[in-house]
Amino acid sequence: GAALRRAGRMAGLPLGAPPELVQLRRAAALDADVALSFAGYINPDLWTSRNALLVPDIQHEYHPEFFTAEALAERRRLFGASIAHADAVCAISAFTKATLVERLGVPAGRITVAHLAHTPLQDPVHGLLPPAEAARRVRRAFGLEAGRYLFLPGHTWHHKNHRAAIEALAILRDRHGLAMTLVCTGGAREAQPALEALAAARGLAAEVRFLGYVDEALLPALYRAAAALVFPSRFEGFGMPVVEAMSYGCPVVCSSTTSLPEVAGDAALLVDPDDWEGLADAVRRLATRPDLRADLVARGFLQARRFSWRAFTLTLPAALRRAAGP
């Protein structure tokens, strides 16, 4: 009690100030015409301001089964109220815009699409890593052989669908005689125990490697030396690994659903995320057809250039002006 009263006096607030007054004082202290929120929701301290909101996705509205009851209720409350309250809404893809219209009834005219982008990390000596240098780095850092592994960056959340990649790995070995390693980076999440058990059950415990978080400086080499990016995600608001892979010269096999066709364009092999045999066949085609691989890499470089932080930044002022009002 005494500590709270001292804090209130230091903030210049009267004793027992109502929450609304506290919020108004905090907003005034910001001295901002418009608040831009990037997390998909608006912090309560900003509700008295005019707001522009960047929305990554509303996955919970399409796959509630991937969330606990408590997390689902919280996301629906927080995201729904923030989106309804925002004076202007930015979506990170046309797909995300469509979901906001379809599930939350946001008028399409209120939504600006601002695609994300990726700036490739350039080696100070080599620029874009030559394949031989990338091969040396992944061998030294991880004991991996270039061209003999598939890369799947992403936390082991259920919607990332690592299972499809593991099942495809088994199909490649059993039906096509193609032995590959699946290399996964990112944090261990809810699906991790089941994925480890699946790999063991398929006799792939040694071939499915979970590296956890890796040094960002090693990511260009991991992409560059991979046989392919496999990204069978069930739901993406944008799909950053696809752009990352294309910008590093890594061919892409990804889902044919949600935002991924929009981001991949004609520079990837698109597969239904539930079609494990189709995923395996796409990898087999890349592994046995150098012409297809070279074509996808060339298309990927061009497609990746369509997404730039300059374009993203130039899109935001329109949303900010809309939020500021007349």
Side-chain angles (χ1 to χ4, degrees):
L4 288 174
R5 287 192 293 273
R6 283 197 300 273
R9 286 195 296 272
M10 290 175 65
L13 296 172
L15 293 179
E20 294 79 8
L21 179 58
V22 175
Q23 192 175 36
L24 283 169
R25 292 284 179 87
R26 288 175 178 168
L30 294 173
D31 192 27
D33 295 321
V34 179
L36 175 61
S37 299
F38 285 88
Y41 65 90
I42 300 170
N43 186 290
D45 287 349
L46 302 175
W47 273 59
T48 55
S49 304
R50 298 189 70 82
N51 285 276
L53 177 65
L54 186 74
V55 180
D57 67 70
I58 52 169
Q59 180 201 151
H60 57 279
E61 295 291 346
Y62 289 83
H63 288 288
E65 70 275 15
F66 294 154
F67 300 86
T68 65
E70 295 78 10
L72 179 61
E74 178 67 5
R75 286 179 68 95
R76 283 180 166 162
R77 182 191 66 79
L78 190 59
F79 283 67
S82 295
I83 292 167
H85 178 80
D87 300 285
V89 176
C90 290
I92 62 173
S93 64
F95 167 75
T96 292
K97 175 179 178 177
T99 65
L100 294 173
V101 173
E102 178 183 72
R103 291 298 170 97
L104 298 183
V106 182
R110 285 187 56 214
I111 308 171
T112 301
V113 174
H115 286 117
L116 301 181
H118 172 251
T119 302
L121 292 175
Q122 296 293 318
D123 185 272
V125 176
H126 302 94
L128 180 66
L129 281 178
E133 177 61 17
R136 185 184 70 81
R137 293 187 186 186
V138 298
R139 187 183 305 113
R140 183 177 62 188
F142 307 109
L144 294 168
E145 291 300 317
R148 302 300 300 173
Y149 67 90
L150 307 172
F151 188 33
L152 201 175
H155 302 318
T156 50
W157 285 312
H158 291 295
H159 77 275
K160 293 296 183 182
N161 198 23
H162 290 68
R163 179 184 180 183
I166 296 172
E167 297 286 9
L169 203 67
I171 293 170
L172 285 168
R173 178 197 61 193
D174 298 340
R175 301 187 191 177
H176 303 294
L178 191 57
M180 304 285 282
T181 297
L182 176 65
V183 175
C184 307
T185 58
R189 298 295 189 266
E190 296 91 343
Q192 183 91 14
L195 294 171
E196 292 176 352
L198 175 64
R202 296 291 183 267
L204 292 168
E207 286 74 25
V208 178
R209 295 186 57 184
F210 295 99
L211 302 183
Y213 292 99
V214 301
D215 187 334
E216 186 181 30
L218 289 169
L219 285 176
L222 277 170
Y223 276 112
R224 188 76 163 141
L229 172 79
V230 289
F231 200 61
S233 179
R234 295 182 181 279
F235 198 96
E236 294 293 320
F238 182 75
M240 186 64 77
V242 171
V243 180
E244 290 178 343
M246 294 188 299
S247 70
Y248 288 126
C250 176
V252 174
V253 181
C254 67
S255 296
S256 58
T257 59
T258 67
S259 66
L260 295 177
E262 176 185 348
V263 173
D266 65 353
L269 300 180
L270 303 179
V271 180
D272 186 309
D274 292 319
D275 184 2
W276 305 335
E277 293 184 3
L279 180 59
D281 185 63
V283 172
R284 180 194 61 78
R285 289 164 58 200
L286 275 174
T288 57
R289 289 185 49 190
D291 60 323
L292 176 60
R293 177 187 175 85
D295 181 57
L296 285 183
V297 168
R299 289 173 183 267
F301 282 131
L302 294 175
Q303 180 69 4
R305 294 191 190 110
R306 295 185 56 194
F307 305 100
S308 73
W309 289 121
R310 183 176 186 275
F312 174 82
T313 303
L314 291 176
T315 302
L316 293 181
L320 293 171
R321 285 194 296 270
R322 185 180 302 114

